[in-house]
């Protein structure tokens, strides 16, 4: 079952095609791939704080995830999570294939190429598992909080869902990817620091989230409440 779809004026509406859903999903997947391709494995230190470089834009995927759940409902956000999951696996597979191909004679960039794109199986597995679990927790918490708050206090559910979603993401990713490679202290420091920074990012972006959510709700003319939704990650999702 899917959630109740209401028009902005409160009148129940039938399930229909959304004008902007495909664009939001594309942005979600693009940011997800970029965050894992560019910043997942790099440690950076700025102002005495050590953190993973992906922190610069990865939280945007959670903001978009919040918009997806808030505007289109958990069932449609679930579709995007599975799309992102498949895209991550495809990216990892193609990265492996391209890096493994014998370099042409005279091309001396193989070592640098391997350094940038040759992620270990641990990082790949950690990225995929952490994203999958974290995004579903994020969407679940936001959808449930929306029902509890009766659609009020958007800031509370976007930040609250990030606390839990990013917490699960960080708890999976850093130990699986780097424990034994980094020292336990480094893993713990980066895990906690990145979690705090991601939550802070979400809080700072609250005005943006309000503006974006309001714009999409007005343009789409809907406000979804997941009162009858099957929250299983494996439930069948109807097409929008």
């Amino acid at each position: 079952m899917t959630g109740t779809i209401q028009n902005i004026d409160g009148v129940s509406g039938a399930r229909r095609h959304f004008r902007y859903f495909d664009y939001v999903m594309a942005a979600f997947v693009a940011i997800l791939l970029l965050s894992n391709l560019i910043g997942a494995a790099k440690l950076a230190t700025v102002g005495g704080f050590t953190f993973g470089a992906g922190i610069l834009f990865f939280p945007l995927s959670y903001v978009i995830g919040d918009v997806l759940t808030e505007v289109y409902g958990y069932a449609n956000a679930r579709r995007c999570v599975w799309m992102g999951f498949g895209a991550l696996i495809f990216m990892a597979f193609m990265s492996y294939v391209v890096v493994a191909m014998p370099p042409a004679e005279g091309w001396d960039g193989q070592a640098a190429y391997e350094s940038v794109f040759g992620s270990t199986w641990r990082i790949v597995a950690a990225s995929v598992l952490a994203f999958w679990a974290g995004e579903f927790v994020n969407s679940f918490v936001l959808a449930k909080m929306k029902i509890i708050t009766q659609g009020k206090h958007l800031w509370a559910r976007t930040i609250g869902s990030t606390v839990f979603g990013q917490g699960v993401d960080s708890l999976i990713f850093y130990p699986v990817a780097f424990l034994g490679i980094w020292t336990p202290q480094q893993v713990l420091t980066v895990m906690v620091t990145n979690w705090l920074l991601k939550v802070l990012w979400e809080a700072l972006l609250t005005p943006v989230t309000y503006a974006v959510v309001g714009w999409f709700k007005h343009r789409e003319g809907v406000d979804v409440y997941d009162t009858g939704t099957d929250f299983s990650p494996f439930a069948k999702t109807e097409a929008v």
Side-chain angles (χ1 to χ4, degrees), residues 32-34 36-37 86-97:
L32 172 68
L33 294 179
L34 286 172
N36 281 272
L37 187 65
L88 275 178
I89 292 177
F90 180 73
M91 182 189 73
F93 173 73
M94 291 309 301
S95 295
Y96 171 79
V97 170

Side-chain angles (χ1 to χ4, degrees), residues 101-170:
M101 292 176 67
E105 184 176 353
W107 187 70
D108 59 358
Q110 181 66 18
Y113 208 83
E114 290 177 359
S115 176
V116 175
F117 298 107
S119 296
T120 67
W121 68 267
R122 288 185 60 179
I123 292 178
V124 171
S127 296
V128 172
L129 291 174
F131 159 76
W132 186 87
E135 279 292 345
F136 272 121
V137 169
N138 184 76
S139 293
F140 174 81
V141 171
L142 190 145
K144 285 294 188 180
M145 287 185 68
K146 183 174 183 179
I147 297 172
I148 294 171
T149 61
Q150 299 180 341
K152 301 175 182 178
H153 311 304
L154 175 60
W155 63 269
R157 54 185 180 273
T158 57
I159 297 174
S161 62
T162 298
V163 168
F164 287 97
Q166 291 285 7
V168 169
D169 185 290
S170 297

Side-chain angles (χ1 to χ4, degrees), residues 11-227:
V11 180
S12 294
R15 190 171 184 82
R16 61 178 177 76
H17 177 74
F18 293 120
R19 295 172 61 188
Y20 299 103
F21 176 79
D22 292 340
Y23 300 107
V24 180
M25 179 168 62
F28 175 80
V29 174
I31 292 173
L32 172 68
L33 294 179
L34 286 172
S35 65
N36 281 272
L37 187 65
I38 297 174
K42 180 175 180 177
L43 280 178
T45 301
V46 176
F49 290 97
T50 301
F51 54 90
I55 189 67
L56 294 176
F57 51 85
F58 180 71
L60 292 175
S61 69
Y62 270 75
V63 172
I64 296 176
D66 288 345
V67 171
L68 284 165
T69 305
E70 175 68 24
V71 178
Y72 300 104
Y74 177 89
N76 287 311
R78 175 170 53 208
R79 295 180 65 211
C80 294
V81 174
W82 280 112
M83 286 292 292
F85 181 80
L88 275 178
I89 292 177
F90 180 73
M91 182 189 73
F93 173 73
M94 291 309 301
S95 295
Y96 171 79
V97 170
V98 172
V99 169
M101 292 176 67
E105 184 176 353
W107 187 70
D108 59 358
Q110 181 66 18
Y113 208 83
E114 290 177 359
S115 176
V116 175
F117 298 107
S119 296
T120 67
W121 68 267
R122 288 185 60 179
I123 292 178
V124 171
S127 296
V128 172
L129 291 174
F131 159 76
W132 186 87
E135 279 292 345
F136 272 121
V137 169
N138 184 76
S139 293
F140 174 81
V141 171
L142 190 145
K144 285 294 188 180
M145 287 185 68
K146 183 174 183 179
I147 297 172
I148 294 171
T149 61
Q150 299 180 341
K152 301 175 182 178
H153 311 304
L154 175 60
W155 63 269
R157 54 185 180 273
T158 57
I159 297 174
S161 62
T162 298
V163 168
F164 287 97
Q166 291 285 7
V168 169
D169 185 290
S170 297
L171 281 171
I172 294 174
F173 178 74
Y174 291 102
V176 173
F178 301 116
L179 197 61
I181 300 175
W182 298 350
T183 67
Q185 183 61 40
Q186 282 181 314
V187 171
L188 181 61
T189 298
V190 174
M191 181 173 64
V192 173
T193 301
N194 272 23
W195 173 70
L196 290 172
L197 288 174
K198 288 173 183 178
V199 173
L200 178 60
W201 255 113
E202 182 76 50
L204 292 175
L205 289 173
T206 294
V208 177
T209 304
Y210 265 82
V212 173
V213 165
W215 189 89
F216 277 108
K217 285 184 178 180
H218 177 73
R219 292 286 180 171
E220 300 285 22
V222 293
D223 194 8
V224 177
Y225 287 78
D226 288 288
T227 53

